[in-house]
């Protein structure tokens, strides 16, 4: 009996992650991801305890908007915004008044983070100028933290974004280092890592996550969790593949809900202190089961729509959080 | 009446059964990309609480109402 307890991954994780705050190793993450479905509820319950112990009950709410859509020169196989695939997404550019309006819509939901995203390899002069003017216009009218996701950066661009007061920079590693070449061939995982290091050194918060369900093995999913833990990002946005028409991953199956929930809980156990955010694909993958993830390690959500797809109406998520008695993080707590 | 599917751009006349149901279901979680009247690809802009889709010929469609 004692023997069984000692070797059970959830007992080990309770002592190591919950009590001591030390995240799962890669091998332990594989064990969690391969637990049978009848242990899913125990896994979620432990991940929830870990989140409450090391992060607290607040949920961070964020809205996102695309300032430059489509026509990207990169070939990320999941992405409908790559100009290299036959995707129906057309290029578009958001003007400053629309950016301010989007920031206002976001703030009205109670969100504290507003992330401006561009489909680019890295920013050019025009985009940096739009960011500078956009940030100024938003600050004049809206009280919200501004985050950005503009691809790979040079040191000069990192410094400029820090100078603009960008609070957090998103740049996803997307998947494990070993699987990355199956997902992207136009740049490397290491190039992404180097942007993330510069962002951290410049004092901006690091937001780095990815997409699960792109055909990676369970071992590679665990590898990804371990690599994120090594990076120690402030936030990890977790997307579930939403296969987009016309992309190389357009025919991938949608991940089963139990597998998605095991992934949520395992990522929490691998990253006990990070902000773990539900991002794209959750409506499709989890539907009404989304609440289970919020009681299984998730402590942040993207409200409303995504970049090229739609989310649930913000009010539905806010109602869900209220029902689960989870307070929304206030702006004062983020400063 | 729409002549083309807003999601995949196929003619509604030869687009039936599970495929059509699939597109219809998908359109609850994504804005239309093709103009239902002429099949042009539209310029779509999405914000946290809304979207607009513009056909150069047929004007702007939004999640709230049709406008020209
Ligand atoms: S760099 Fe970003 S926008 Fe471009 S293809 Fe990759 S994921 Fe899409
Ligand atoms: Zn269709
Ligand atoms: Zn038209």
């Amino acid at each position: 009996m004692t023997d069984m307890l000692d070797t059970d991954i959830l007992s080990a994780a309770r002592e190591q992650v919950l009590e001591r705050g030390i995240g799962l190793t890669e091998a332990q993450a594989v064990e969690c991801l391969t637990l049978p479905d009848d242990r899913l509820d125990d896994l979620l319950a432990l991940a929830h305890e870990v989140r409450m112990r090391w992060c607290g009950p607040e949920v961070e709410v964020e809205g996102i908007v695309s300032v430059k859509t489509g026509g990207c020169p990169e070939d990320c196989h999941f992405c409908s915004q790559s100009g290299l695939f036959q995707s129906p997404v057309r290029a578009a550019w958001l003007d400053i008044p629309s950016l301010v309006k989007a920031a206002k819509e976001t703030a009205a939901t109670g969100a504290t983070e507003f992330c401006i995203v561009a489909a680019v390899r890295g920013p050019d002069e025009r985009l940096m100028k739009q960011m500078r003017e956009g940030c100024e216009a938003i600050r004049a009218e809206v009280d919200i933290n501004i985050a950005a996701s503009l691809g790979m950066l040079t040191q000069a661009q990192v410094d400029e974004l820090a100078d603009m007061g960008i609070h957090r920079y998103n740049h996803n590693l997307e998947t494990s280092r070993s699987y990355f070449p199956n997902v992207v061939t136009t740049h490397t995982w290491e190039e992404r890592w180097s942007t993330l290091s510069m962002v951290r050194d410049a004092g901006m918060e690091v937001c780095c996550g990815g997409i699960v369900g792109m055909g990676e093995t369970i071992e590679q999913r665990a590898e990804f969790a371990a690599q994120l833990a090594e990076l120690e990002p402030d936030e990890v946005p977790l997307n579930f593949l939403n296969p987009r028409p016309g992309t190389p991953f357009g025919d991938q199956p949608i991940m089963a809900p139990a597998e998605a929930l095991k992934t949520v809980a395992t990522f929490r156990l691998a990253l006990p202190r990070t902000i773990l955010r539900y991002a794209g694909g959750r409506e499709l993958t989890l539907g009404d089961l989304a609440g289970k993830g919020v009681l299984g390690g998730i402590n942040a959500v993207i409200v409303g729509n995504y970049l090229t797809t739609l989310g649930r109406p913000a009010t539905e998520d806010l109602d869900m959080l209220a029902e689960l008695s989870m307070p929304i993080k206030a702006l004062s707590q983020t400063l | 009446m729409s002549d083309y599917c807003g999601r995949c751009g196929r003619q509604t006349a030869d687009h039936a059964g599970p495929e059509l149901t699939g597109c219809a279901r998908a359109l609850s979680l994504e804005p239309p990309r093709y103009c239902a009247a002429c099949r042009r690809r539209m310029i779509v802009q999405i914000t946290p609480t809304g979207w607009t889709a513009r056909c150069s010929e047929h004007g702007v469609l939004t999640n709230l109402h049709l406008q020209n």
Side-chain angles (χ1 to χ4, degrees):
Chain A
M1 191 65 217
T2 337
D3 249 21
M4 200 203 121
L5 276 181
D6 284 343
T7 53
D8 179 62
I9 181 61
L10 294 185
S11 311
R14 171 169 295 278
E15 192 276 322
Q16 171 188 324
V17 189
L18 181 64
E19 305 303 332
R20 292 190 285 133
I22 298 170
L24 298 182
T25 63
E26 187 175 330
Q28 289 175 316
V30 172
E31 283 190 69
C32 284
L33 289 169
T34 50
L35 280 170
D37 286 357
D38 63 11
R39 309 267 341 252
L40 173 60
D41 285 341
D42 296 339
L43 174 65
L44 289 167
L46 177 61
H48 184 57
E49 278 187 76
V50 166
R51 169 271 177 115
M52 293 302 261
R53 163 86 189 265
W54 296 102
C55 303
E58 290 82 19
V59 175
E60 192 186 85
V61 178
E62 175 186 59
I64 61 176
V65 79
S66 174
V67 62
K68 187 256 171 194
T69 305
C72 179
E74 304 305 293
D75 76 344
C76 311
H77 291 12
F78 53 84
C79 181
S80 64
Q81 302 200 64
S82 168
L84 302 175
F85 315 136
Q86 290 298 321
S87 155
V89 173
R90 278 189 68 180
W93 180 259
L94 208 64
D95 60 20
I96 305 266
S98 306
L99 267 181
V100 175
K101 181 169 166 281
K104 280 185 185 161
E105 287 175 7
T106 300
T109 67
T112 50
E113 298 282 325
F114 177 61
C115 187
I116 304 174
V117 186
V120 290
R121 178 182 168 89
D124 59 10
E125 263 310 304
R126 181 184 181 212
L127 181 56
M128 291 302 278
K129 180 167 175 280
Q130 188 80 344
M131 285 303 296
R132 185 173 284 285
E133 290 171 6
C135 285
E136 275 171 24
I138 291 166
R139 288 224 175 78
E141 294 193 47
V142 192
D143 202 13
I144 198 158
N145 290 322
I146 305 176
S149 180
L150 315 172
M152 291 179 280
L153 303 174
T154 63
Q155 184 63 53
Q157 289 168 333
V158 169
D159 296 341
E160 206 179 332
L161 290 168
D163 182 58
M164 285 178 210
I166 294 297
H167 167 248
R168 189 179 289 168
Y169 192 78
N170 165 264
H171 196 48
N172 289 339
L173 288 167
E174 305 299 9
T175 190
S176 67
R177 187 174 187 162
S178 71
Y179 193 63
F180 192 86
N182 300 81
V183 180
V184 185
T185 69
T186 48
H187 58 267
T188 62
W189 196 88
E190 289 74 15
E191 284 177 277
R192 291 195 174 217
W193 186 282
S194 115
T195 289
L196 291 160
S197 306
M198 287 190 284
V199 165
R200 151 93 34 84
D201 291 346
M204 284 183 276
E205 288 190 7
V206 172
C207 170
C208 177
I211 307 177
V212 293
M214 295 196 289
E216 76 281 5
T217 62
I218 293 286
E219 286 73 21
Q220 286 169 322
R221 207 169 289 161
E223 179 198 335
F224 183 37
Q227 285 160 345
L228 287 172
E230 191 189 331
L231 178 71
E232 288 187 82
D234 298 277
E235 173 189 336
V236 172
L238 191 58
N239 296 270
F240 307 98
L241 181 72
N242 178 350
R244 303 317 302 151
T247 64
F249 290 168
D251 294 322
Q252 290 270 0
I254 294 165
M255 192 186 261
E259 196 179 340
L261 290 169
K262 280 178 208 169
T263 306
V264 165
T266 302
F267 273 56
R268 167 54 68 207
L269 296 179
L271 296 143
R273 293 174 185 78
T274 198
I275 298 168
L276 184 61
R277 190 180 306 278
Y278 257 152
R282 110 163 110 117
E283 289 80 0
L284 189 71
T285 306
L286 287 171
D288 293 338
L289 296 175
K292 284 199 149 203
V294 180
L295 294 175
I298 290 286
N299 68 336
V301 294
I302 289 176
V303 283
N305 297 329
Y306 302 105
L307 304 172
T308 61
T309 59
L310 308 178
R312 312 201 291 179
T315 46
E316 280 184 26
D317 272 348
L318 300 175
D319 289 350
M320 171 181 80
L321 296 177
E323 252 168 55
L324 301 174
S325 308
M326 300 237 175
I328 292 173
K329 193 199 261 186
L331 201 55
S332 57
Q333 289 172 274
T334 69
L335 299 177
Chain B
M1 264 327 290
S2 40
D3 294 333
Y4 300 96
C5 173
R7 178 158 195 260
C8 68
R10 260 178 291 179
Q11 241 172 334
T12 21
D14 355 303
H15 189 23
E19 273 174 2
L20 180 62
T21 327
C23 281
R25 189 175 321 119
L27 283 174
S28 67
L29 286 174
E30 59 193 66
R33 297 282 167 185
Y34 294 92
C35 175
C38 70
R39 202 192 176 272
R40 277 186 179 82
R41 279 192 311 149
M42 299 188 287
I43 293 184
V44 177
Q45 292 199 315
I46 301 176
T47 61
T49 62
W51 54 261
T52 61
R54 178 187 304 274
C55 169
S56 55
E57 186 64 30
H58 294 101
V60 179
L61 189 68
T62 78
N63 55 325
L64 300 174
H65 52 273
L66 257 173
Q67 58 187 46
N68 255 314

